[in-house]
Amino acid sequence: MSFVEYGDTIKDGDTAIVFLGHESMFPVKVQHGTVTQTKYGVIRHSTDLIGKKYGSKVTCSKGGWVFILHPTPELWTMNLPHRTQILYSTDISIITMMLELKPGSIVCESGTGSGSLSHAVIRTVAPTGHLYTVEFHQQRAEKAREEFREHGVEHLVTVTNQDVCKNGFGVSSIADAVFLDIPSPWEAIGHAKSALKAEGGRICSFSPCIEQVQRTCLAMEEYGFTEINTLEILLRVYNVRTISLQIPDLGKAAEDNSSTGFDSSNPSNQGSLCANVQQGTVQFKSGVPLREMVGHTGYLTFATKS
Protein backbone atom coordinates (compact mmCIF):
# COMPACT_ATOMS: atom_id res chain seq x y z
CA MET A 1 0.00 0.00 0.00
CA SER A 2 1.25 3.47 -0.89
CA PHE A 3 -0.40 6.87 -0.84
CA VAL A 4 1.00 7.57 -4.32
CA GLU A 5 0.40 4.16 -5.95
CA TYR A 6 -2.95 2.38 -5.99
CA GLY A 7 -3.11 -1.26 -4.92
CA ASP A 8 -6.08 -3.53 -5.56
CA THR A 9 -5.77 -5.86 -2.58
CA ILE A 10 -5.69 -5.16 1.16
CA LYS A 11 -2.49 -6.51 2.71
CA ASP A 12 -1.22 -7.03 6.23
CA GLY A 13 0.33 -3.75 7.44
CA ASP A 14 -1.72 -1.49 5.15
CA THR A 15 -3.43 1.67 6.32
CA ALA A 16 -7.08 1.54 5.20
CA ILE A 17 -10.06 3.85 5.61
CA VAL A 18 -13.20 2.36 7.20
CA PHE A 19 -16.11 4.24 5.60
CA LEU A 20 -19.39 4.22 7.55
CA GLY A 21 -20.82 7.32 5.84
CA HIS A 22 -19.79 10.71 4.46
CA GLU A 23 -19.69 12.11 7.99
CA SER A 24 -18.26 9.00 9.65
CA MET A 25 -14.99 7.30 8.70
CA PHE A 26 -11.69 6.50 10.34
CA PRO A 27 -8.28 5.00 9.48
CA VAL A 28 -7.20 1.56 10.64
CA LYS A 29 -3.88 -0.27 10.39
CA VAL A 30 -4.57 -3.73 9.02
CA GLN A 31 -2.92 -6.42 11.15
CA HIS A 32 -3.34 -10.19 11.13
CA GLY A 33 -5.30 -11.37 14.20
CA THR A 34 -6.60 -7.88 15.06
CA VAL A 35 -10.23 -6.77 15.29
CA THR A 36 -11.77 -3.31 14.90
CA GLN A 37 -14.95 -2.32 16.72
CA THR A 38 -17.60 -0.23 14.93
CA LYS A 39 -21.20 0.70 15.72
CA TYR A 40 -22.24 -2.04 13.27
CA GLY A 41 -20.15 -4.68 15.02
CA VAL A 42 -16.67 -6.19 14.84
CA ILE A 43 -14.43 -6.27 11.77
CA ARG A 44 -11.92 -9.15 11.86
CA HIS A 45 -8.83 -8.16 9.93
CA SER A 46 -7.71 -11.72 9.12
CA THR A 47 -11.00 -12.82 7.53
CA ASP A 48 -12.80 -9.58 6.65
CA LEU A 49 -9.96 -7.40 5.31
CA ILE A 50 -6.73 -9.17 4.32
CA GLY A 51 -6.96 -10.43 0.77
CA LYS A 52 -10.13 -8.46 -0.05
CA LYS A 53 -10.15 -5.74 -2.69
CA TYR A 54 -10.17 -2.07 -1.75
CA GLY A 55 -13.69 -0.70 -2.12
CA SER A 56 -15.21 -3.94 -0.83
CA LYS A 57 -18.41 -3.93 1.19
CA VAL A 58 -17.65 -5.69 4.49
CA THR A 59 -20.41 -7.08 6.72
CA CYS A 60 -19.78 -6.57 10.45
CA SER A 61 -20.71 -8.96 13.26
CA LYS A 62 -24.03 -7.20 14.03
CA GLY A 63 -25.18 -7.42 10.43
CA GLY A 64 -24.35 -3.85 9.45
CA TRP A 65 -21.80 -3.10 6.75
CA VAL A 66 -18.98 -0.69 5.90
CA PHE A 67 -16.77 0.04 2.89
CA ILE A 68 -12.98 -0.33 3.06
CA LEU A 69 -11.29 2.41 1.00
CA HIS A 70 -7.76 2.84 -0.29
CA PRO A 71 -6.15 5.84 1.45
CA THR A 72 -5.60 9.09 -0.44
CA PRO A 73 -4.21 12.43 0.78
CA GLU A 74 -7.77 13.83 0.77
CA LEU A 75 -9.13 10.99 2.92
CA TRP A 76 -6.08 11.18 5.20
CA THR A 77 -6.67 14.91 5.74
CA MET A 78 -10.19 14.11 6.94
CA ASN A 79 -9.10 11.29 9.26
CA LEU A 80 -5.51 11.86 10.43
CA PRO A 81 -4.61 12.14 14.14
CA HIS A 82 -4.27 15.84 14.91
CA ARG A 83 -0.95 16.76 16.48
CA THR A 84 -1.39 20.38 15.36
CA GLN A 85 -3.91 22.48 13.49
CA ILE A 86 -3.94 21.26 9.90
CA LEU A 87 -4.57 22.55 6.39
CA TYR A 88 -7.66 21.21 4.64
CA SER A 89 -8.28 20.46 0.96
CA THR A 90 -9.72 23.93 0.28
CA ASP A 91 -6.39 25.63 1.05
CA ILE A 92 -4.23 22.71 -0.13
CA SER A 93 -5.70 22.84 -3.64
CA ILE A 94 -4.87 26.53 -4.17
CA ILE A 95 -1.40 26.07 -2.62
CA THR A 96 -0.61 23.23 -5.03
CA MET A 97 -1.76 25.30 -8.01
CA MET A 98 -0.17 28.63 -7.07
CA LEU A 99 3.19 26.99 -6.26
CA GLU A 100 3.05 25.36 -9.72
CA LEU A 101 3.80 21.90 -8.32
CA LYS A 102 4.06 18.94 -10.71
CA PRO A 103 5.78 15.55 -10.91
CA GLY A 104 9.49 16.10 -10.42
CA SER A 105 9.21 19.29 -8.38
CA ILE A 106 11.52 19.83 -5.37
CA VAL A 107 9.63 21.34 -2.42
CA CYS A 108 10.73 22.62 1.00
CA GLU A 109 8.18 22.80 3.81
CA SER A 110 8.13 24.04 7.41
CA GLY A 111 6.57 22.97 9.68
CA THR A 112 5.52 19.42 9.08
CA GLY A 113 2.86 19.38 11.80
CA SER A 114 0.36 16.56 11.32
CA GLY A 115 1.42 15.94 7.71
CA SER A 116 -1.81 16.95 5.98
CA LEU A 117 -0.20 19.15 3.32
CA SER A 118 2.88 16.91 3.20
CA HIS A 119 0.92 13.93 1.87
CA ALA A 120 -0.73 16.05 -0.82
CA VAL A 121 2.61 17.51 -1.92
CA ILE A 122 4.25 14.08 -2.04
CA ARG A 123 1.45 12.71 -4.22
CA THR A 124 1.80 15.73 -6.57
CA VAL A 125 5.61 15.60 -7.01
CA ALA A 126 5.87 11.78 -7.28
CA PRO A 127 7.49 9.76 -8.72
CA THR A 128 10.67 11.78 -9.35
CA GLY A 129 10.23 14.82 -7.09
CA HIS A 130 11.12 15.21 -3.43
CA LEU A 131 9.81 16.96 -0.31
CA TYR A 132 12.20 18.37 2.31
CA THR A 133 10.12 19.06 5.40
CA VAL A 134 11.38 20.65 8.61
CA GLU A 135 9.70 20.25 12.00
CA PHE A 136 10.86 22.09 15.15
CA HIS A 137 9.22 19.64 17.59
CA GLN A 138 11.22 16.41 17.92
CA GLN A 139 8.34 14.05 18.76
CA ARG A 140 6.23 15.39 15.88
CA ALA A 141 9.17 14.94 13.51
CA GLU A 142 9.67 11.33 14.62
CA LYS A 143 5.95 10.59 14.28
CA ALA A 144 5.94 12.09 10.77
CA ARG A 145 8.85 9.85 9.73
CA GLU A 146 6.98 6.82 11.08
CA GLU A 147 3.81 7.71 9.15
CA PHE A 148 5.66 8.34 5.89
CA ARG A 149 7.35 4.94 6.26
CA GLU A 150 4.03 3.18 6.97
CA HIS A 151 2.40 4.93 4.01
CA GLY A 152 5.08 3.84 1.55
CA VAL A 153 6.37 7.32 0.68
CA GLU A 154 9.58 7.54 2.74
CA HIS A 155 11.71 7.58 -0.46
CA LEU A 156 9.98 10.81 -1.54
CA VAL A 157 10.43 12.82 1.65
CA THR A 158 13.19 13.88 4.03
CA VAL A 159 12.15 14.93 7.55
CA THR A 160 14.52 17.18 9.50
CA ASN A 161 14.16 18.16 13.15
CA GLN A 162 15.52 21.71 13.49
CA ASP A 163 14.54 25.37 13.75
CA VAL A 164 14.07 26.62 10.19
CA CYS A 165 14.36 30.26 11.30
CA LYS A 166 17.90 29.61 12.58
CA ASN A 167 19.17 26.68 10.52
CA GLY A 168 17.16 26.78 7.31
CA PHE A 169 16.02 23.75 5.29
CA GLY A 170 19.35 21.98 4.92
CA VAL A 171 19.39 22.40 1.11
CA SER A 172 20.58 25.18 -1.17
CA SER A 173 19.50 26.44 -4.61
CA ILE A 174 17.49 23.35 -5.59
CA ALA A 175 13.87 23.95 -4.55
CA ASP A 176 11.14 24.84 -7.02
CA ALA A 177 8.83 25.93 -4.19
CA VAL A 178 8.88 26.70 -0.47
CA PHE A 179 5.94 26.57 1.93
CA LEU A 180 5.99 28.17 5.40
CA ASP A 181 3.49 27.43 8.16
CA ILE A 182 5.27 28.78 11.23
CA PRO A 183 4.53 31.52 13.82
CA SER A 184 7.16 33.95 12.47
CA PRO A 185 7.60 33.28 8.74
CA TRP A 186 9.39 36.59 8.16
CA GLU A 187 12.39 35.16 10.04
CA ALA A 188 12.68 32.30 7.53
CA ILE A 189 12.37 34.28 4.27
CA GLY A 190 16.16 34.53 3.90
CA HIS A 191 16.57 30.76 4.31
CA ALA A 192 13.70 30.21 1.85
CA LYS A 193 15.46 32.35 -0.74
CA SER A 194 18.66 30.34 -0.26
CA ALA A 195 16.80 27.04 -0.71
CA LEU A 196 15.03 28.14 -3.90
CA LYS A 197 16.56 27.64 -7.34
CA ALA A 198 18.40 30.56 -8.93
CA GLU A 199 15.38 32.15 -10.57
CA GLY A 200 11.62 31.74 -10.73
CA GLY A 201 11.04 29.71 -7.57
CA ARG A 202 7.74 30.21 -5.77
CA ILE A 203 7.08 30.72 -2.06
CA CYS A 204 3.89 30.52 0.01
CA SER A 205 3.35 31.52 3.62
CA PHE A 206 0.26 30.53 5.62
CA SER A 207 -0.61 32.83 8.56
CA PRO A 208 -3.84 33.21 10.55
CA CYS A 209 -3.26 36.88 11.52
CA ILE A 210 -2.99 39.87 9.18
CA GLU A 211 -0.15 41.31 11.28
CA GLN A 212 1.93 38.24 10.42
CA VAL A 213 1.10 38.78 6.75
CA GLN A 214 2.24 42.41 6.88
CA ARG A 215 5.64 41.55 8.39
CA THR A 216 6.09 38.65 5.97
CA CYS A 217 5.36 40.84 2.94
CA LEU A 218 7.89 43.43 4.12
CA ALA A 219 10.51 40.69 4.50
CA MET A 220 9.71 39.34 1.03
CA GLU A 221 10.20 42.80 -0.46
CA GLU A 222 13.47 43.20 1.44
CA TYR A 223 14.83 39.94 -0.02
CA GLY A 224 13.81 40.86 -3.55
CA PHE A 225 10.72 38.70 -4.06
CA THR A 226 8.22 39.92 -6.66
CA GLU A 227 4.54 39.29 -7.53
CA ILE A 228 3.63 39.35 -3.83
CA ASN A 229 -0.07 38.77 -3.25
CA THR A 230 -2.27 37.51 -0.41
CA LEU A 231 -5.41 35.38 -0.72
CA GLU A 232 -8.07 34.15 1.67
CA ILE A 233 -10.04 31.07 0.61
CA LEU A 234 -13.53 30.69 2.08
CA LEU A 235 -15.63 27.59 1.45
CA ARG A 236 -19.35 28.13 0.88
CA VAL A 237 -21.52 24.99 0.80
CA TYR A 238 -24.96 24.87 -0.83
CA ASN A 239 -27.84 22.55 0.01
CA VAL A 240 -29.94 21.38 -2.95
CA ARG A 241 -33.67 21.49 -2.19
CA THR A 242 -36.83 20.65 -4.12
CA ILE A 243 -39.23 23.60 -4.02
CA SER A 244 -42.92 23.47 -5.01
CA LEU A 245 -44.79 26.55 -6.19
CA GLN A 246 -48.39 27.03 -7.28
CA ILE A 247 -48.60 28.64 -10.71
CA PRO A 248 -51.88 30.40 -11.63
CA ASP A 249 -53.08 30.21 -15.23
CA LEU A 250 -53.27 33.98 -15.61
CA GLY A 251 -53.57 33.90 -19.40
CA LYS A 252 -56.77 31.85 -19.43
CA ALA A 253 -58.30 33.87 -16.63
CA ALA A 254 -57.53 37.12 -18.45
CA GLU A 255 -59.23 35.85 -21.64
CA ASP A 256 -62.35 34.74 -19.76
CA ASN A 257 -62.61 38.06 -17.93
CA SER A 258 -62.16 40.19 -21.04
CA SER A 259 -64.80 38.25 -22.98
CA THR A 260 -67.43 38.68 -20.25
CA GLY A 261 -66.64 42.29 -19.37
CA PHE A 262 -65.33 41.23 -15.95
CA ASP A 263 -63.97 44.15 -13.90
CA SER A 264 -61.11 42.85 -11.77
CA SER A 265 -60.61 46.25 -10.15
CA ASN A 266 -63.99 45.99 -8.43
CA PRO A 267 -63.48 44.66 -4.86
CA SER A 268 -66.68 42.67 -5.08
CA ASN A 269 -65.26 40.66 -7.96
CA GLN A 270 -62.00 39.65 -6.23
CA GLY A 271 -63.44 36.37 -4.90
CA SER A 272 -64.71 35.44 -8.34
CA LEU A 273 -61.28 36.21 -9.84
CA CYS A 274 -59.57 33.82 -7.44
CA ALA A 275 -62.12 31.13 -8.19
CA ASN A 276 -61.63 31.51 -11.94
CA VAL A 277 -57.79 31.21 -11.77
CA GLN A 278 -56.81 27.64 -12.44
CA GLN A 279 -53.77 26.84 -10.31
CA GLY A 280 -51.11 24.17 -10.96
CA THR A 281 -47.99 23.06 -9.07
CA VAL A 282 -44.46 23.04 -10.42
CA GLN A 283 -41.37 21.57 -8.72
CA PHE A 284 -37.80 22.67 -9.33
CA LYS A 285 -34.36 22.31 -7.78
CA SER A 286 -32.79 25.25 -5.97
CA GLY A 287 -29.42 25.74 -4.28
CA VAL A 288 -29.58 27.33 -0.84
CA PRO A 289 -26.42 28.32 1.10
CA LEU A 290 -26.04 27.13 4.68
CA ARG A 291 -27.03 29.59 7.38
CA GLU A 292 -23.63 29.09 8.97
CA MET A 293 -20.44 28.68 6.93
CA VAL A 294 -16.82 27.86 7.71
CA GLY A 295 -15.05 31.12 8.41
CA HIS A 296 -11.47 32.32 8.30
CA THR A 297 -8.68 29.73 8.42
CA GLY A 298 -5.66 31.74 7.32
CA TYR A 299 -4.11 34.07 4.77
CA LEU A 300 -2.02 32.63 1.94
CA THR A 301 0.78 34.93 0.76
CA PHE A 302 2.51 34.00 -2.51
CA ALA A 303 5.60 35.46 -4.14
CA THR A 304 8.21 34.70 -6.83
CA LYS A 305 11.99 34.76 -6.50
CA SER A 306 13.27 37.34 -8.95
Side-chain angles (χ1 to χ4, degrees):
M1 184 278 305
S2 171
F3 271 56
V4 298
E5 296 177 1
Y6 184 79
D8 289 332
T9 306
I10 304 172
K11 299 180 177 63
D12 189 14
D14 283 3
T15 298
I17 305 297
V18 180
F19 180 89
L20 293 82
H22 289 290
E23 302 297 329
S24 179
M25 63 185 90
F26 59 90
V28 61
K29 185 173 181 179
V30 180
Q31 293 178 313
H32 185 78
T34 303
V35 298
T36 296
Q37 189 71 245
T38 74
K39 64 180 179 181
Y40 300 127
V42 170
I43 301 173
R44 295 174 176 83
H45 293 199
S46 301
T47 57
D48 297 333
L49 299 184
I50 297 176
K52 299 290 183 65
K53 287 191 173 183
Y54 279 106
S56 297
K57 183 178 179 179
V58 174
T59 302
C60 304
S61 61
K62 293 182 180 178
W65 47 268
V66 298
F67 288 103
I68 307 300
L69 306 181
H70 192 285
T72 65
E74 291 79 11
L75 289 174
W76 185 245
T77 290
M78 297 171 63
N79 295 281
L80 58 77
H82 285 226
R83 299 183 288 273
T84 59
Q85 292 290 332
I86 69 169
L87 290 174
Y88 289 92
S89 296
T90 307
D91 288 317
I92 291 173
S93 60
I94 196 71
I95 291 169
T96 302
M97 184 188 74
M98 295 294 288
L99 289 182
E100 303 173 3
L101 302 186
K102 59 186 182 298
S105 294
I106 305 298
V107 183
C108 292
E109 174 196 29
S110 183
T112 312
S114 301
S116 175
L117 176 66
S118 304
H119 282 82
V121 169
I122 291 169
R123 194 261 309 273
T124 302
V125 304
T128 56
H130 200 84
L131 172 66
Y132 295 90
T133 182
V134 178
E135 172 57 50
F136 175 78
H137 193 276
Q138 182 179 357
Q139 291 180 336
R140 288 201 292 263
E142 293 174 353
K143 185 62 179 178
R145 289 193 193 97
E146 179 185 342
E147 287 180 349
F148 293 142
R149 184 171 56 254
E150 291 178 352
H151 298 165
V153 296
E154 71 276 7
H155 61 291
L156 296 170
V157 58
T158 300
V159 182
T160 305
N161 173 220
Q162 63 187 30
D163 185 352
V164 71
C165 296
K166 295 180 179 179
N167 306 114
F169 294 93
V171 296
S172 178
S173 303
I174 65 170
D176 297 290
V178 170
F179 177 78
L180 299 173
D181 184 6
I182 54 178
S184 53
W186 56 88
E187 296 180 0
I189 299 300
H191 294 296
K193 183 177 181 180
S194 299
L196 286 168
K197 59 186 181 181
E199 186 178 0
R202 296 279 287 168
I203 183 174
C204 174
S205 174
F206 177 89
S207 297
C209 302
I210 195 64
E211 291 81 6
Q212 294 171 302
V213 173
Q214 292 170 333
R215 295 189 65 174
T216 303
C217 288
L218 291 174
M220 288 178 175
E221 289 182 346
E222 180 182 347
Y223 281 95
F225 284 89
T226 60
E227 299 178 338
I228 302 172
N229 66 89
T230 299
L231 308 176
E232 181 184 27
I233 311 301
L234 299 178
L235 177 64
R236 190 175 189 184
V237 179
Y238 278 76
N239 280 336
V240 178
R241 298 179 181 177
T242 300
I243 297 178
S244 299
L245 290 180
Q246 290 184 335
I247 306 299
D249 189 356
L250 298 178
K252 189 175 187 303
E255 292 176 1
D256 294 343
N257 294 338
S258 61
S259 63
T260 58
F262 185 84
D263 183 10
S264 61
S265 62
N266 188 341
S268 62
N269 291 331
Q270 294 295 321
S272 299
L273 176 62
C274 294
N276 289 335
V277 173
Q278 296 181 0
Q279 293 182 336
T281 301
V282 63
Q283 292 185 339
F284 62 93
K285 300 289 186 181
S286 177
V288 181
L290 301 180
R291 294 187 178 183
E292 295 182 358
M293 63 177 283
V294 177
H296 171 75
T297 56
Y299 299 103
L300 294 169
T301 300
F302 297 92
T304 302
K305 183 177 179 180
S306 177

